[in-house]
Amino acid sequence: MKCGGFFMNKQTEFERRLSRHYDELKWLYCELYPGREDLFHQLCTMLEGFYNDRKPAWKTLDRKREKDPEWFHSQKMVGMMLYIDAFRDNLKGVESKLDYFLDCNVNYLHLMPFLETPRGMSDGGYAVSDYRKIQENLGTMEDLAALSKKCHSKGISLCMDFVMNHTSQEHEWAKRAVAGEREYQDRYFFFDNFDIPAQYEKTCPQVFPTTAPGNFTWLDSCHKFVMTTFYPYQWDLNYANPVVFNEMTANMLYLVNQGIDIVRIDAVPYIWKQIGTTCRNLPQVHTIVRMMRMITEIVCPGVLLLGEVVMEPSKVVPYFGTLEKPECHMLYNVTTMASTWHTVATGDTSLLKHQMDIVNSLPKQYVFLNYLRCHDDIGWGLDYDWLRQFGISEAPHKKFLNDYFQGYYPGSESRGELYNDDPVLQDARLCGTTASMCGLEAAGFEQNEEKTDRAIQKILMLNAYLFIQTGIPVIYSGDEIGQVNDYSYKESPDFDRRTDSRYLHRGKFRWDIEPCRSIEGSVQNRIFEGMKKMESLRFAYAPFSGEADVWTKDTYEPAVLCICRQLGNEMITALFNFRGEEKVAHIDMGPFEWKDLLTGETRVLREVTVPANGCAWYYRSWQQENGTEKQETK
Ligand code: GLC
């Protein structure tokens, strides 16, 4: 008998799932929380409760996905992320627009934080004051469940943020901690004076050096310091306390049971703190994520974990865990995203090629979420050790990139704003939408048609590059209609918005220009239809499968990146020109005819001219006949 009689008689579905992980889960839990077997048993009982509470429809989906655990590896997955209020006011509004997502080929919808959060101290919803309540203006838990049901009926999976590193200072635990309850102070990091915080500060870097310097905040209300890695109103939870782990796990499962398919574990590298370290990516973080993985496999095996690890590749990849002991199902491909924009600014693809080579050498089981833009700033976390060989060093290069994307650099048509400009570290980050960063805003302002064409070309090239990558492409809502920066945040009545330039690219979805996507030749139409075409080609052609072999090829032209994908007897050779002038890719792909899937033109791939900021997806298939190849391009 194990775990309070769970495995005594004929096993139920829950017991079968629990027994698969029981030993490892218990081992890890007790290693992290020695002597707290009582709380481990409480956890197991709680898991059974959440399993029992799961709606029959979710349980059916769990079983289906359990039999097909790689369901999300499909090349037919396309994601979109959005703020509910910015998109369509509230959950009901989003529900009323599900056909729009289908039109966008989207079958994975990431709803940005929607839980209760204090106005003016919310960090875009990443300061949660109640994990069981939806922001009043967005709707109710019933609305979420209804949206989820409708999404599922249309084949759309829902993703939510699980902000687990910290709570809002308005969370009940925080309030009770301030009121002096020791039990709740122990759920955070509370200190009577700055002695211990000072030790942390020696090695723990800052996340928001300008808008929220330091990692601790003085609380006048109770005369204590509290750890606040992010904003002063976001109090770090102490996962060394098993009660925190159990309670937060309960919150996650409660939310998942409302019909969530994908849990984005926010700021996961930060969840374990230790003096003398950077307080990032510590081994205990991996123990916790591994436990979360087992817990979802026990209670809700249809649910996926998406880790938000905004770090360099060597720090990101360990969050996949190992084949025997997996952690996250999916991770963001953040370095490729940042390297892509570096390439837009420099017109030199060597770093991107190097970055692609790293990603392509990883096991095919690893699923990355690829994206051009998201709700956050772009941090210039590039491989500077590698760039050094070209005489590029970090601080001046970051300055160049920031100047370029603010449109200060000669020849740049980009429009953007700095974020957390730290004069000491010279480490500013950048905000702006894809369209504005590609020059569409400047072109529109000048009413310059030629510049508009160039901007659209660049946007489509970047999307072609996004869609060629293995993994799940995630579109940032508004990008599909070329939405530009929204400067209205500067007039917001809320101080935290007014002073946070990330709101530059968090503007309201432009339903006023959205209908233009059906007007042939309009800006919106060219971008929307261009992306749709790429999506349908991605769905239809075998080399886009995650099973395909992918590699880069030298073009002997720094501006042009060449990516090849092959599955069986089918292959795609894709070319991307990152410069605003026509360039020649010096490649030789044999005497065969290749068809550009994007234009329908066929040609032999030798010395290929690629238009300014142009791209091409050349395809061919063949059959092996008596040892010789027979061309068969469709
Ligand atoms: C994540 C979010 C970001 C937020 C931070 C703190 O990085 O993407 O928007 O500020 O977490 O919760």
Side-chain angles (χ1 to χ4, degrees), residues 238-251:
N238 183 358
Y239 280 88
N241 179 347
V243 174
V244 170
F245 178 78
N246 282 14
E247 295 279 326
M248 289 303 284
T249 301
N251 284 334

Side-chain angles (χ1 to χ4, degrees), residues 123 126 163 166 208 230 234 264 266-267 308 375-376 502 506:
D123 184 21
Y126 286 97
V163 187
H166 43 259
F208 298 139
F230 292 86
Q234 290 167 310
R264 174 187 182 273
D266 181 58
E308 193 227 359
H375 68 297
D376 276 331
R502 291 177 297 178
R506 294 178 183 175

